[in-house]
Amino acid sequence: MAKREKAASAAGARFDGLPDALLDWYGRHARTLPWRIGPGERGRGVVPDPYRVWLAEIMLQQTTVPHAAGYFEAFTRTWPTVEALASAEDGDVMAAWAGLGYYARARNLLKCAREVAARGSWPRTEAGLRELPGIGPYTAGAVAALAFNQRAAAVDGNVDRVFARILAAKGEWKDEKRRIADLVGELVPEDRPGEFAEALMDLGATICTPKRPNCLICPLRAWCAAHAEGEPERYPMKPAKKAKPVRFGEVYIVRGASGVAVETRPSQGLLGGMLGLPTTEWREDGKAGRLDWIEGAQEIGEVKHVFTHFELRLRVLTVESEGALPDGYELRDSGSVADALPSVFRKALKLAS
DNA sequence: AAGTCGGGGAC
DNA sequence: GTCCCAGACTT
């Protein structure tokens, strides 16, 4: 018995042939992406650059491929190696990440780069990678498999969906996720773990999609209980989400001789470590008041912005600055600073331009 | 176990 | 409007 079937047999004969069918499909339909090497190249012993694999995986956490792609190109052009990134200024990296969201990723990206540069090399195992900041269960498995060809599983949202359907998983989603992770771990082929991980993600992204899965061309149809039932789109069965409360506040475009006033936000919490415009608290009761050091500001409109766990409505006000700014604020050219701001502040600045 | 943390595209 | 995306971290 070949190694591949032997690995699958631990999960029972039910999944015999599944890894081979998936890899065969991947050989013909793999997506071409900037951080990948081709499936043919892996066969000739080519291994991707761990730095590029890691950087892409961090950027792709809860982020679509089209959105991350431009950032990946910019980062690798500016910082071609992990040593280059480790030597970068914090503010430059945060500015380059602006607009990509989940800014703790950027803070941990720098911490991780500096740890790896100090060590002199990347850990090559899943457990070793898991110790680095910003690398959780998924990313540790992905980097181990993709960059180091270790027998590790990379279970992301795509893989959860694909196997929720294959199993027709009807139990508590928390329990089903654990079951899926165990199963995928058993199915990873010893000789091609990297391609197996990419193949599952490609299948989830292009065929086993959330809304209208294209079962007619799916290489795993024969193993899929949800397809047999006839309504694959019913899976995965996730718990309902909470409604987002609305918060209110004000944001100010303070114009001075050399630009607009910005601050560097505290390194913890929402938009932590990013540049921001002067703003009040954001409160659900709307009683945020005004910034006391600003006088005579004129309201020019409102911006709406949706964060992960609340919706924000910000009144936008403009004012000409006269005296010195309070500690923590500085003037920046209003044209160039926009690129370094998180989206909510970009919207406000655009309204005033 | 639940909450925090961004942004945008597809529908 | 809803859903979700190559999730991790804190409490």
Side-chain angles (χ1 to χ4, degrees):
Chain A
M1 183 181 270
K3 288 178 182 175
R4 202 166 299 149
E5 286 75 28
K6 190 173 174 185
S9 71
R14 194 186 148 198
F15 301 106
D16 284 357
L18 186 154
D20 280 331
L22 180 67
L23 289 168
D24 181 65
W25 172 83
Y26 179 72
R28 289 177 284 114
H29 298 288
R31 287 179 293 177
T32 299
L33 298 169
W35 43 86
R36 277 191 184 177
I37 60 174
E41 295 181 274
R42 277 187 193 278
R44 297 198 299 277
V46 179
V47 175
D49 177 357
Y51 170 64
R52 293 168 62 88
V53 171
W54 161 76
L55 178 61
E57 292 305 331
I58 302 298
M59 287 184 169
L60 288 163
Q61 289 167 3
Q62 297 293 288
T63 304
T64 57
V65 165
H67 193 193
Y71 287 85
F72 180 82
E73 301 287 1
F75 266 71
T76 52
R77 186 169 57 248
T78 305
W79 302 291
T81 65
V82 70
E83 291 81 11
L85 181 59
S87 303
E89 299 287 338
D90 292 38
D92 291 339
V93 174
M94 299 311 289
W97 198 274
L100 197 52
Y102 284 149
Y103 298 99
R105 292 186 295 173
R107 302 194 298 268
N108 286 328
L109 189 82
L110 255 177
K111 283 186 197 165
C112 183
R114 287 167 181 165
E115 282 191 29
V116 170
R119 290 176 83 253
S121 68
W122 290 90
R124 299 178 64 86
T125 66
E126 188 172 9
L129 289 160
R130 182 67 182 80
E131 298 300 310
L132 292 168
I135 298 187
Y138 162 74
T139 305
V143 175
L146 299 172
F148 300 117
N149 216 34
Q150 304 277 313
R151 187 168 178 272
V155 184
D156 70 336
N158 286 307
V159 179
D160 276 335
R161 181 173 60 256
V162 169
F163 277 92
R165 288 173 177 165
I166 286 174
L167 295 169
K170 297 178 177 62
E172 283 295 318
W173 181 236
K174 196 86 178 175
D175 300 329
E176 299 293 11
K177 281 185 59 132
R178 194 165 20 248
R179 192 178 146 212
I180 288 166
D182 290 344
L183 173 58
V184 177
E186 291 174 7
L187 293 179
V188 178
E190 291 187 31
D191 52 343
R192 299 166 71 185
E195 290 169 79
F196 186 75
E198 288 179 342
L200 277 180
M201 292 188 272
D202 281 13
L203 188 77
T206 64
I207 292 184
C208 196
T209 53
K211 298 289 176 59
R212 294 275 197 102
N214 194 349
C215 302
L216 290 178
I217 60 171
C218 181
L220 305 187
R221 183 177 62 244
W223 292 271
C224 187
H227 174 253
E229 288 180 353
E231 291 183 278
E233 63 279 0
R234 287 208 310 148
Y235 303 93
M237 296 180 178
K238 297 185 181 179
K241 292 180 179 164
K242 281 180 47 179
K244 292 184 203 290
V246 182
R247 295 185 190 175
F248 303 88
E250 292 185 345
V251 63
Y252 300 87
I253 315 298
V254 180
R255 300 184 186 283
S258 59
V260 299
V262 298
E263 62 171 340
T264 297
R265 297 171 60 85
S267 61
Q268 311 272 358
L270 191 72
L271 309 179
M274 298 298 292
L275 285 183
L277 297 172
T279 182
T280 61
E281 285 185 291
W282 301 342
R283 296 165 57 110
E284 290 181 33
D285 62 15
K287 295 176 181 173
R290 330 180 85 85
L291 287 186
D292 56 18
W293 57 272
I294 296 175
E295 289 180 11
Q298 299 292 312
E299 182 173 355
I300 61 167
E302 186 187 63
V303 294
K304 294 182 184 177
H305 193 75
V306 180
F307 291 99
T308 306
H309 59 290
F310 66 93
E311 178 184 331
L312 180 63
R313 295 179 196 169
L314 278 184
R315 295 173 53 192
V316 182
L317 297 90
T318 61
V319 65
E320 300 298 320
S321 108
E322 294 164 12
L325 297 169
D327 281 350
Y329 293 96
E330 58 177 316
L331 295 176
R332 293 277 193 102
D333 175 72
S334 60
S336 58
V337 79
D339 289 337
L341 291 172
S343 293
V344 63
F345 296 123
R346 251 183 233 182
K347 288 181 187 176
L349 194 56
K350 185 171 164 64
L351 193 64
S353 66

